[in-house]
């Protein structure tokens, strides 16, 4: 690209703009002057015509046409203007140029037609009588309201052109002088504008070469003064900016090394160009590996294969590697190529994510499935055994058959309870993901009373008194059906694990930004080491006692999920042999 000096760009722009403006002014002035000259001549001819019309008006009415002709030739004998008198029928009765009898009928002349209609007729056209362009003005002569004749005055158009040419020559001479002055003034302005810019450009070049001692002087214009101040301030702050960049680089490096995912980057020659601390811990390497071949540093053949595929294919590669050295680790690997702006492969990067904890969670899930299978298999095995015994002949013994059928009935109810609770948990999790629950601000007292009412018959069997302590004005945004189910589960557990002739209290109060619902029993209590896990599915402190009491191991898990749906939390306090208190915390 060809670069031009600023002075010539400013100079040429100034000249072009001024030249265009001057041309526009000249064009407008010339046009207006020409029209003005024409208008002056039209006005002069109109005045003459009106004077002549008044002077011949009496002779026209008396029909003294010869006298009119003599008068006109006498008055306009030595003048360049011409006068003609025409009757309404177009007949010329007087003319200062020729004998009227030798002139054609003038009824078809444009200015005559307009004057006969009662207007002032104007025209510029070629006259075949005098063989030149003339300016015509025709005025009507009235008798009463009737036009009895037209007086027309005319003047050679060449006279106006001579005046206009003389004026035009003076204008163009002035224009030439003005252009010369503009060129001189324009160069001075361009030089004045470009000189500071040239100084600034030289100073910037010196700074680019590393000379930070340069400073710009002051300039007379406000804008250039601001620019010089800004430039000097920039130089003063440049060192600070460099320090800031170094600091940011260190911060980015710290972030890079603090990432939990391990990152390994290599160039197209399979040499390591970047690693972070996480990948160093995973692979047992340090930053000293940078610049070395990846084959020298990485000993895992599976990982080397992924790196090679990322370099060759350029596609995103996902895989999982097991590091079998102690401790056993599962690592998820993502590999992809590094490309420049031209989409050329310049290396590869692999991201290693330790998913050992996730795999352990999956193992917990598998254990849960196994627990579910065990919980279902136990009543099924019992049912199958008693049915086989009945089929083998015990059905003929009435007492034995009734006892076996009651056991089968109880085990069937237990199996049905487990399935119902599992369905409740699945429904809670599914609706929580889809946000299908409806919440509204409701009073809490009726919900607690309904839950106690559901459990009342079971409490009466053990002579346990269930008491509610809740202000009638206490409200909370909730799904009443779900909260009632959670309270039923907690109250039923409190009754199950409490001795006879005791009391269970259900309390509710507002504490800070939370509504706290507590279910307090006087039961056997829970050992401290088990309290953190009692809300897990199928977890029991005393499995044999829980099954004897008819529990499914899912009641507290359902409570936890219901409260989670309400963006709340659960808690427990218990002392062995003195009872337990279960808490539900709901946000206000």
């Amino acid at each position: 690209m060809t670069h031009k000096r600023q002075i010539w760009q400013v100079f040429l722009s100034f000249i072009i703009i001024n030249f265009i403006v001057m041309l526009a002014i000249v064009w407008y002035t010339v046009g207006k002057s020409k029209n003005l000259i024409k208008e002056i001549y039209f006005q002069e001819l109109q005045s003459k015509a009106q004077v002549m019309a008044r002077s011949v008006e009496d002779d026209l009415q008396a029909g003294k046409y010869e006298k009119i002709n003599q008068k006109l030739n006498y008055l306009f004998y030595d003048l360049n203007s011409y006068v003609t008198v025409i009757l309404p029928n177009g007949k010329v009765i007087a003319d200062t140029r020729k004998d009227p009898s030798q002139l054609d009928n003038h009824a078809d002349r444009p200015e005559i037609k307009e004057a006969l209609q009662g207007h002032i007729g104007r025209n510029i056209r070629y006259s075949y009588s005098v063989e030149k362009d003339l300016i015509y003005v025709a005025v009507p002569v009235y008798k009463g309201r009737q036009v009895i004749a037209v007086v027309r005055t005319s003047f050679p158009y060449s006279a106006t052109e001579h005046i206009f040419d003389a004026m035009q020559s003076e204008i163009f001479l002035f224009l030439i002088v003005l252009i010369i002055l503009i060129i001189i003034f324009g160069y001075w302005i361009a030089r004045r504008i470009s000189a500071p810019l040239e100084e600034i450009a030289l100073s910037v070049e010196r700074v680019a070469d590393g000379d930070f001692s340069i400073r710009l002087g002051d300039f007379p214009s406000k804008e250039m003064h601001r620019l010089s101040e800004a430039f000097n301030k920039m130089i003063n702050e440049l060192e600070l900016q460099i320090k800031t960049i170094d600091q940011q680089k260190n911060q980015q490096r710290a972030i890079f090394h603090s990432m939990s995912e391990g990152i390994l980057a290599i160039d197209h020659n399979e040499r390591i160009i970047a690693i972070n601390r996480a990948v160093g811990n995973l692979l047992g390497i340090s930053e000293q590996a940078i610049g070395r071949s990846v084959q020298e540093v990485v000993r895992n053949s599976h990982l080397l294969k992924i790196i090679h595929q990322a370099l060759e294919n350029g596609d995103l590669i996902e895989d999982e590697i097991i590091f079998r050295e102690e401790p056993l680790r599962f690592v998820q690997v993502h590999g992809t190529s590094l490309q420049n702006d031209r989409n050329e492969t310049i290396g590869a990067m692999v991201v290693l994510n330790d998913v050992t904890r996730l795999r352990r969670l999956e193992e917990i899930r598998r254990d849960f499935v196994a627990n579910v299978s065990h919980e279902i298999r136990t009543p099924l095995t019992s049912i199958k055994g008693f049915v086989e015994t009945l089929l083998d002949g015990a059905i003929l013994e009435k007492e034995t058959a009734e006892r076996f059928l009651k056991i089968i009935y109880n085990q069937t109810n237990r199996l049905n309870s487990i399935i119902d609770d599992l369905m409740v948990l699945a429904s809670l999790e599914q609706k929580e993901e889809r946000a299908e629950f409806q919440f509204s601000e409701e009073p809490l007292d009726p919900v607690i009373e309904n839950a106690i009412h559901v459990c009342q018959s079971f409490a009466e069997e053990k002579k346990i008194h269930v008491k509610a302590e809740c202000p009638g004005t206490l409200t909370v945004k909730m799904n009443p059906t779900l909260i009632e189910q959670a309270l039923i589960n907690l109250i039923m557990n409190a009754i199950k694990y409490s001795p006879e002739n005791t009391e269970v209290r259900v309390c509710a109060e507002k504490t800070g930004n939370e509504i706290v619902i507590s279910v307090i029993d006087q039961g056997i209590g829970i050992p401290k080491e088990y309290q953190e896990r009692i809300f897990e599915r199928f977890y029991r402190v005393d499995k044999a006692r829980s099954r004897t009491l008819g529990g499914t191991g899912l009641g507290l898990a359902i409570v936890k999920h219901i409260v989670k749906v309400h963006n709340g939390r659960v808690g427990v306090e218990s002392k062995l042999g003195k009872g337990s208190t279960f808490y539900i915390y709901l946000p206000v």
Side-chain angles (χ1 to χ4, degrees):
M1 181 178 177
T2 303
H3 299 281
K4 297 179 181 179
R5 292 185 63 187
Q6 184 71 25
I7 183 173
W8 299 120
Q9 294 181 10
V10 175
F11 176 68
L12 290 175
S13 300
F14 181 82
I15 295 301
I16 290 172
I17 292 172
N18 279 276
F19 186 71
I20 292 173
V21 171
M22 284 189 298
L23 284 180
I25 293 173
V26 169
W27 176 80
Y28 179 79
T29 304
V30 169
K32 279 291 184 180
S33 299
K34 195 171 185 178
N35 291 333
L36 182 60
I37 293 170
K38 290 179 184 179
E39 185 62 28
I40 290 172
Y41 275 95
F42 275 130
Q43 291 295 333
E44 183 180 352
L45 291 174
Q46 182 177 333
S47 299
K48 290 180 179 180
Q50 289 174 340
V51 171
M52 292 306 302
R54 286 193 293 271
S55 67
V56 301
E57 184 177 354
D58 294 336
D59 293 333
L60 280 171
Q61 293 179 6
K64 299 177 180 179
Y65 299 150
E66 185 64 30
K67 184 179 179 181
I68 294 173
N69 188 48
Q70 292 175 359
K71 183 185 292 188
L72 292 181
N73 280 281
Y74 174 77
L75 292 173
F76 292 91
Y77 177 75
D78 292 329
L79 300 179
N80 290 328
S81 57
Y82 311 115
V83 181
T84 306
V85 180
I86 304 99
L87 295 177
N89 59 8
K91 181 181 179 181
V92 178
I93 62 172
D95 187 82
T96 60
R97 294 169 297 172
K98 290 186 178 181
D99 184 0
S101 61
Q102 295 179 0
L103 294 175
D104 298 332
N105 189 290
H106 280 39
D108 60 344
R109 303 298 194 268
E111 66 277 4
I112 303 300
K113 288 181 178 180
E114 193 170 355
L116 290 174
Q117 294 177 1
H119 306 296
I120 304 296
R122 290 183 173 188
N123 200 6
I124 299 174
R125 57 183 176 78
Y126 182 77
S127 174
Y128 290 98
S129 302
V130 296
E131 297 181 346
K132 62 176 70 174
D133 289 328
L134 297 178
I135 300 176
Y136 292 100
V137 174
V139 297
V141 181
Y142 292 94
K143 181 180 181 181
R145 294 185 178 182
Q146 183 179 1
V147 177
I148 59 174
V150 174
V151 176
R152 183 184 70 180
T153 56
S154 58
F155 192 82
Y157 184 65
S158 58
T160 63
E161 291 182 338
H162 292 324
I163 296 173
F164 176 73
D165 290 342
M167 182 182 294
Q168 197 172 32
S169 298
E170 292 181 3
I171 291 174
F172 282 117
L173 180 61
F174 174 76
L175 182 62
I176 292 171
V177 174
L178 188 61
I179 288 174
I180 295 172
L181 293 176
I182 287 174
I183 290 173
I184 297 172
F185 185 65
Y187 181 81
W188 179 78
I189 291 177
R191 184 64 186 170
R192 185 178 176 84
I193 293 174
S194 63
L197 296 177
E198 290 180 2
E199 183 179 348
I200 293 171
L202 291 173
S203 300
V204 171
E205 289 175 356
R206 290 179 61 182
V207 172
D209 292 336
D211 183 6
F212 298 104
S213 63
I214 188 68
R215 293 293 184 274
L216 287 176
D218 200 5
F219 296 103
S221 69
K222 184 177 180 180
E223 291 77 12
M224 297 306 296
H225 170 73
R226 290 174 58 191
L227 182 59
S228 66
E229 282 191 339
F231 179 84
N232 294 334
K233 184 178 179 181
M234 178 187 68
I235 299 301
N236 293 331
E237 294 183 354
L238 187 58
E239 185 177 1
L240 178 61
Q241 292 294 328
I242 293 173
K243 290 181 180 179
T244 303
I245 291 172
D246 289 338
Q247 184 180 3
Q248 290 176 348
K249 183 179 179 181
N250 293 333
Q251 290 174 350
Q252 292 174 354
R253 181 181 177 85
I255 293 171
F256 180 69
H257 285 287
S258 300
M259 293 177 62
S260 60
E261 293 84 2
I263 297 178
L264 172 65
I266 61 172
D267 61 16
H268 63 282
N269 293 321
E270 298 188 7
R271 292 190 177 276
I272 298 174
I273 57 176
I275 59 173
N276 68 349
R277 190 175 294 112
V279 81
N281 295 334
L282 283 172
L283 303 179
I285 59 178
S286 65
E287 288 189 359
Q288 295 177 352
I290 295 176
R292 296 172 60 187
S293 173
V294 69
Q295 288 83 2
E296 298 178 22
V297 178
V298 178
R299 302 300 180 184
N300 190 290
S301 59
H302 195 172
L303 180 57
L304 289 174
K305 182 180 178 181
I306 293 173
I307 294 172
H308 182 72
Q309 289 177 344
L311 278 172
E312 292 293 326
N313 300 333
D315 298 329
L316 178 64
I317 300 171
E318 297 183 9
D319 208 340
E320 187 170 296
I321 300 175
I322 301 175
F323 289 88
R324 301 192 180 278
E325 301 85 0
E326 287 296 331
L328 182 68
R329 287 174 299 174
F330 298 86
V331 178
Q332 194 174 53
V333 182
H334 293 80
T336 186
S337 63
L338 298 175
Q339 296 181 337
N340 59 18
D341 295 338
R342 297 186 296 274
N343 293 326
E344 297 173 346
T345 300
I346 58 174
M349 182 179 70
V350 291
V351 179
L352 292 83
N353 189 14
D354 191 346
V355 293
T356 305
R357 182 173 176 274
L358 181 61
R359 295 294 174 264
R360 287 174 181 167
L361 291 174
E362 291 177 353
E363 184 178 355
I364 293 173
R365 180 181 59 81
R366 289 193 294 270
D367 291 344
F368 166 72
V369 174
N371 287 334
V372 172
S373 302
H374 176 73
E375 291 291 338
I376 294 177
R377 186 183 295 114
T378 300
L380 284 176
T381 301
S382 178
I383 292 170
K384 181 180 178 182
F386 284 111
V387 169
E388 288 176 349
T389 302
L390 289 172
L391 291 175
D392 288 340
I395 195 171
L396 300 176
E397 301 176 9
K398 184 177 180 181
E399 292 184 1
T400 303
E402 288 181 356
R403 182 165 58 87
F404 283 5
L405 287 172
K406 286 180 180 179
I407 294 173
I408 292 171
Y409 177 75
N410 291 334
Q411 293 298 325
T412 303
N413 287 339
R414 170 173 168 73
L415 182 62
N416 188 58
S417 297
I418 292 172
I419 294 172
D420 286 345
D421 285 350
L422 285 172
M423 292 296 293
V424 169
L425 275 174
S427 176
L428 283 171
E429 291 175 345
Q430 185 180 23
K431 290 182 178 179
E432 181 183 0
E433 291 177 358
R434 297 179 182 176
E436 293 181 359
F437 293 107
Q438 301 294 325
F439 300 93
S440 58
E441 194 76 21
E442 302 284 349
L444 189 57
D445 187 43
V447 177
I448 295 175
E449 292 293 340
N450 290 340
I452 292 175
H453 180 72
V454 172
C455 303
Q456 191 65 44
S457 60
F458 186 55
E460 290 174 354
E461 290 179 4
K462 296 186 68 174
K463 300 179 181 179
I464 293 176
H465 176 61
V466 183
K467 180 181 179 182
E469 299 177 7
C470 176
T473 58
L474 189 62
T475 62
V476 64
K477 190 173 183 179
M478 62 178 172
N479 184 302
T481 304
L482 292 181
I483 295 297
E484 181 180 326
Q485 180 62 52
L487 290 173
I488 290 171
N489 288 4
L490 291 178
I491 295 170
M492 290 294 286
N493 274 1
I495 295 171
K496 286 178 185 178
Y497 295 101
S498 294
E500 295 183 355
N501 298 312
T502 56
E503 183 181 74
V504 173
R505 290 190 299 131
V506 183
C507 305
E509 62 179 347
K510 182 179 179 181
T511 305
N513 293 325
E514 291 181 316
I515 300 295
V516 182
I517 306 172
S518 54
V519 178
I520 307 166
D521 64 47
Q522 300 172 351
I524 59 177
I526 304 169
K528 189 173 183 62
E529 61 269 22
Y530 298 127
Q531 291 179 15
E532 291 184 359
R533 300 193 60 189
I534 58 174
F535 289 99
E536 295 180 9
R537 302 175 188 185
F538 294 113
Y539 186 81
R540 294 184 175 92
V541 176
D542 186 343
K543 297 184 178 180
R545 181 180 177 90
S546 297
R547 291 195 181 98
T548 302
L549 294 174
T552 63
L554 296 170
L556 292 179
I558 291 173
V559 171
K560 181 179 178 180
H561 274 76
I562 289 175
V563 176
K564 185 180 177 183
V565 165
H566 288 75
N567 294 322
R569 55 192 176 91
V570 294
V572 62
E573 292 180 359
S574 181
K575 289 185 179 181
L576 200 60
K578 293 186 178 181
S580 304
T581 301
F582 285 84
Y583 296 99
I584 293 176
Y585 301 90
L586 299 176
V588 175

